[in-house]
Amino acid sequence: MDTYRHGNNACSMTTPLSAMAEAFEELLEISKANQKGSEEEMRLDTFCDACSFVSVLFGCLGLAFKFAELEYVSKVHDLKEASRTYDTIEDILELDVANDTVKTPGSLSRNLRRVRQGLDLIRALFEQFLATEEYSLKEAASTAYAQVCAPYHSWTIRTAVAAGMYALPTRDQLLLRLNETDQSAEKKMRRYISAALPVIEYIDKLYLSRNVILDW
């Protein structure tokens, strides 16, 4: 729990970055257990709850990432609704593989793929953000977008994103919105990176093990 002082009053609160890091560290334990031979699968509702914390970060990035926020939030919502019917992320993949609807727009497996890209986009953004204190948020976001999302987006979307990058907050503005200092943000961003990457790989393996090529 992080403590912040507002005016003359000190208050304790969990920051968005803290919540993200903790949620994905819980998912990491599930993916680790699976790698060690456990039959435990990743619950869809638990996964969606963790992903919902990332929505706050997209909201802090402003217009440039509005496309990602809108798509990401809607896809997480759809998956959360589906968790009333399907217990695990493996279940929704099995369903779509059986119906040959993995890549069909609106399918749960396609939604999962888009959410996974959102998680990876934030992972790449954090890595670039931490690469050097001289690196602006615009540079970090542009590089992260080029790595993770641009290969799958049309020219129209790429152009709109490039224009929106100029509306990104500064490093200091982002830290203020997240209630963090440089030092506290670095620790939590690294925790998210360390936890999210194996979870992303876990999801990718679910597709690959079902002979679904990840080129979309």
Side-chain angles (χ1 to χ4, degrees):
M1 191 75 71
D2 302 299
T3 302
Y4 293 91
R5 189 171 297 277
H6 298 269
N8 295 321
N9 298 317
C11 64
S12 294
M13 61 179 289
T14 299
T15 67
L17 287 186
S18 295
M20 283 174 57
E22 290 167 10
F24 276 86
E25 283 168 348
E26 290 181 13
L27 292 184
L28 174 61
E29 293 306 310
I30 298 174
S31 64
K32 281 182 176 179
N34 189 272
Q35 289 177 349
K36 293 179 180 178
S38 169
E39 295 184 2
E40 181 181 11
E41 297 180 338
M42 191 170 291
R43 289 192 58 83
L44 184 56
D45 55 358
T46 303
F47 174 74
C48 291
D49 289 343
C51 292
S52 67
F53 291 116
V54 180
S55 303
V56 178
L57 194 283
F58 277 120
C60 291
L61 292 172
L63 181 63
F65 280 77
K66 197 65 179 176
F67 79 95
E69 180 187 9
L70 293 175
E71 180 174 63
Y72 180 88
V73 171
S74 68
K75 299 295 189 288
V76 172
H77 178 267
D78 289 346
L79 291 174
K80 182 66 175 179
E81 288 294 306
S83 70
R84 299 178 180 180
T85 304
Y86 305 101
D87 290 335
T88 69
I89 61 177
E90 286 82 355
D91 288 341
I92 62 175
L93 269 168
E94 290 292 350
L95 172 71
D96 284 326
V97 168
N99 293 330
D100 195 24
T101 53
V102 171
K103 299 182 182 180
T104 301
S107 75
L108 295 174
S109 295
R110 187 180 181 88
N111 288 351
L112 176 62
R113 174 73 176 152
R114 293 296 174 257
V115 170
R116 171 254 183 250
Q117 287 180 325
L119 301 178
D120 201 24
L121 178 61
I122 296 302
R123 188 270 316 159
L125 173 63
F126 283 177
E127 286 187 347
Q128 295 301 320
F129 187 84
L130 297 174
T132 170
E133 291 185 2
E134 306 304 319
Y135 213 29
S136 73
L137 185 58
K138 176 180 176 294
E139 291 173 314
S142 297
T143 301
Y145 174 77
Q147 290 176 352
V148 177
C149 296
Y152 307 104
H153 285 171
S154 66
W155 178 85
T156 302
I157 294 177
R158 295 197 304 270
T159 302
V161 171
M165 289 293 179
Y166 292 95
L168 281 169
T170 64
R171 288 177 69 103
D172 288 343
Q173 288 171 336
L174 178 62
L175 292 172
L176 183 63
R177 292 178 187 181
L178 294 173
N179 289 323
E180 302 285 355
T181 64
D182 269 320
Q183 293 75 19
S184 67
E186 178 176 357
K187 291 178 181 178
K188 294 164 191 175
M189 287 180 178
R190 292 196 186 284
R191 284 173 58 196
Y192 172 81
I193 293 168
S194 297
L197 189 54
V199 172
I200 290 167
E201 292 172 346
Y202 173 90
I203 295 171
D204 286 348
K205 288 177 182 177
L206 294 180
Y207 287 93
L208 294 172
S209 66
R210 292 164 175 78
N211 298 316
V212 179
I213 300 174
L214 302 178
D215 60 352
W216 48 289

